[in-house]
Each structure stands twice: as structure tokens, then as C-alpha cells.
Amino acid sequence: MKAIVQERFGPPGILRLADTDRPEAGAGQVLVRVRAAALNPYDWHMMRGDPYVARLSGGVGLTRPKSRVAGIDAAGEIEAVGAGVHGPRPGDEVLGFCPGSFAEYARTSADWLVAKPAGLTFEQAAAVPMGAVTALRGIRTVGRARAGQRVLVNGAGGGVGTFAVQIAAALGAEVTGVCSAGNADLVRSLGAAHVVDYALEDFTDGRVRYDLILDNVGNRPLSRLRRALTPAGTLVANGGGSPGRVFGALGSMLRLAAADTLVRQRLRPILPAAPAGPTHQDLLAVTTLIEAGRLTPVVDRTYRLADAAEGVRHVERGHARGKAVIVVP
């Protein structure tokens, strides 16, 4: 099969299109014929082996990538099922977490997939898993957003932010989105009652206070973010970080957790969604919102499989509008 592979850690130029063996579905697994795969910050972190401390965990690889084929989000059709898999059948259209999704075929756990909503294209469906589940956990699970609350989403035009605005609005919150001027109309169309242009306004000046802030950007000091919260408000910090850092987002998360013990406000870290935790239920929750017409994936642009490196460069620059997606023929 055709796949995007990497033999070492490094910049996007190390990614190359190659012929490789097609995986087989083992017990409890399914083989997916990938039709589209989303690009995430997660992918360039894995590509670069960044932050360095993540290499010590064993999940990334110490001196070279543990997974030779890149990618995690996918949508496609089930090609085959392994022993012990009940429910999913060959031919079913699905979306979910598929390690090695930048390829024609990817193998994954049956629990990491759900049925693709009929109204979505494969490109839209591929945009859902990591972005929508991270947003759901940030707004609903960790943030505990409720109807009538003031919720601010920093980075509202991005891959997680576009989902977060919609989820908060679906819960009945009064949503403020922080984004560029070019994304203002998009963010309003997704349900934001107010939009802040980060180039012209400082949402941390304390003039307006919020019950919940989901920070997808990490460009404001914690002291300023707390100033924008109500006395009992919640800050949810989404993981991220720039390439080349030793500790990356982990250092920020640890500092946030330490500060949480000293203040009345709730300061909570959330790492980007991956195949861990209640993944199947979270995927079902977001597809239920999609089927109800309350959540729509925003696809920024698409790339051919052979152009995956260009797509990773685009996401790494940090100015994606919604999600970027690879189309697999």
C-alpha cells in the first residue's frame, strides 16, 4: 500500500510517500480503508519527537519514531475485522482514531471507531476525532459548561476552537470567540455571540469576566487569564507548545496544576484527545451532535497523500482555519 513514512525525527521534509506492507487486523481490531485523514498538531509533535520528555514515555520512540507511518485521525470503510469484534462489519463507513492513518489502510481498535454520520463527506468526517473530542472534553467534561454561562474560546477559528464554539453554544452558553479578523464571520456563524479580534483587543483586561475559558493558544500569562475569570470561574488549558521544547506543554500543565491548589478558581489542564480515556463514548457524543445538526466540521483545505508534508507545515504554522485534511484516493 501507499503510505507516508518517516525513519527519523525531524521537520516535515523527512516525510515521504512509500510502498509498505498492508497491516492485518488482529484480535479486537479492524482494518480501515482510509478515505481521508486529518492533520493535527499531534502529528508534528510525533514527527519531531517533541517535546523531548515525551520520548522517555515509550509511546513516541526514544531515538527514532516508534510508529513508522504517520497520522491518527481517519475516516473510511472497514476492510476487515479481527477475532472477537462484534458489531462493525466490512463495508461500514466509520471515523475515529487510526494510528498510521496517512496511508491507504490503517489498523485500529474497534473501540476507537464509530459510524460515520451519513450527512458528512469522508473529508468532513476525518476532521472530527481529535478536534471534536478535545473540544468536548474541554468544554463539557472538564469545563462543565452550563446554559447561561459566559464561555470564552481562545483560538476559536482553529481545529479545536471551531468545535468548541459550537459545543458551548449547543449547551446554551453565551460564547465569545477570540480569533483573527479573517475568521470573525466564521466564528459568528458557528454560534459565537461575541468575537474578539486578538490583534485589536485584549480579552484579559478584566473588563469582561467569564465563567469558563478554553485556552487553545497559550499566548497569555496565567495571571492575565485568571483576571478574565469570575472568582469561581474555570480555566481549561489545552495542550500544545512550539517545536523543539524540552518539556513542551507538560511543563505548563504541571505549573497550572500547582497553581490550582492555591486559588479558588478552577485551573485545569487538558491534553489533546488521543486514543485514551472514554474514547468511544466521546466519539458517540460528538457524532450525536453532528446528526442533530448542532455540530459541523470546518475543513480549511485538503491535500493529496503525496503532499502530506506540505499539510503538516501548514498546521505547524498555527494559523489553520478549522481542520486541514489529507484525501486518500
Side-chain angles (χ1 to χ4, degrees):
M1 68 173 185
K2 298 292 186 183
I4 297 297
V5 301
Q6 66 175 105
E7 308 294 347
R8 60 184 178 86
F9 294 123
I14 66 170
L15 300 175
R16 62 184 181 88
L17 183 67
D19 289 311
T20 188
D21 293 335
R22 193 178 88 167
E24 295 182 1
Q29 296 179 326
V30 299
L31 182 66
V32 176
R33 173 59 170 98
V34 179
R35 298 298 181 183
L39 291 146
N40 296 286
Y42 173 93
D43 298 314
W44 63 254
H45 280 294
M46 297 299 102
M47 175 190 70
R48 291 182 178 271
D50 164 83
Y52 296 137
V53 70
R55 302 187 190 185
L56 301 177
S57 69
V60 177
L62 185 59
T63 60
R64 65 179 58 190
K66 186 174 182 179
S67 176
R68 184 168 178 257
V69 181
I72 187 69
D73 281 358
E77 301 136 343
I78 293 179
E79 181 77 9
V81 300
V85 174
H86 304 288
R89 290 292 179 265
D92 289 353
E93 295 184 347
V94 293
L95 64 85
F97 296 101
C98 296
S101 63
F102 294 178
E104 292 177 321
Y105 295 90
R107 177 178 56 197
T108 190
S109 168
D111 292 337
W112 295 350
L113 297 173
V114 294
K116 179 180 80 68
L120 295 187
T121 65
F122 283 119
E123 291 83 358
Q124 290 175 311
V128 169
M130 185 167 288
V133 169
T134 300
L136 181 79
R137 292 176 182 175
I139 294 294
R140 191 186 72 173
T141 308
V142 179
R144 303 176 187 173
R146 302 188 304 276
Q149 287 189 325
R150 285 180 170 173
V151 174
L152 180 137
V153 178
N154 189 21
V160 173
T162 50
F163 285 114
V165 168
Q166 295 178 79
I167 291 170
L171 292 172
E174 179 184 330
V175 184
T176 296
V178 181
C179 60
S180 66
N183 286 336
D185 289 342
L186 168 65
V187 171
R188 287 192 185 94
S189 74
L190 298 175
H194 315 282
V195 174
V196 173
D197 180 349
Y198 66 76
L200 300 177
E201 301 177 65
D202 179 7
F203 71 88
T204 66
D205 60 12
R207 290 184 297 173
V208 181
R209 292 180 177 263
Y210 301 92
D211 300 292
L212 168 63
I213 294 175
L214 174 61
D215 183 16
N216 297 306
V217 184
N219 60 347
R220 294 289 191 277
L222 177 58
S223 60
R224 298 288 296 183
L225 290 169
R226 288 189 55 226
R227 186 178 180 182
L229 283 175
T230 60
T234 298
L235 167 66
V236 178
N238 181 18
S242 301
R245 292 186 176 179
V246 174
F247 294 101
L250 180 60
S252 299
M253 299 301 162
L254 292 174
R255 288 192 294 272
L256 190 72
D260 178 65
T261 64
L262 304 175
V263 299
R264 181 184 173 194
Q265 293 161 325
R266 296 176 69 243
L267 311 178
R268 297 290 189 269
I270 175 174
L271 294 174
T279 301
H280 192 76
Q281 292 304 313
D282 286 343
L283 286 169
L284 285 175
V286 295
T287 54
T288 296
L289 287 170
I290 290 168
E291 289 168 338
R294 309 191 77 176
L295 190 63
T296 301
V298 176
V299 176
D300 175 23
R301 59 185 71 182
T302 60
Y303 296 87
R304 299 180 307 158
L305 182 61
D307 298 327
E310 181 184 344
V312 173
R313 286 190 189 96
H314 171 66
V315 173
E316 197 172 19
R317 294 186 191 107
H319 296 290
R321 175 185 171 95
K323 300 290 291 187
V325 174
I326 293 171
V327 178
V328 183

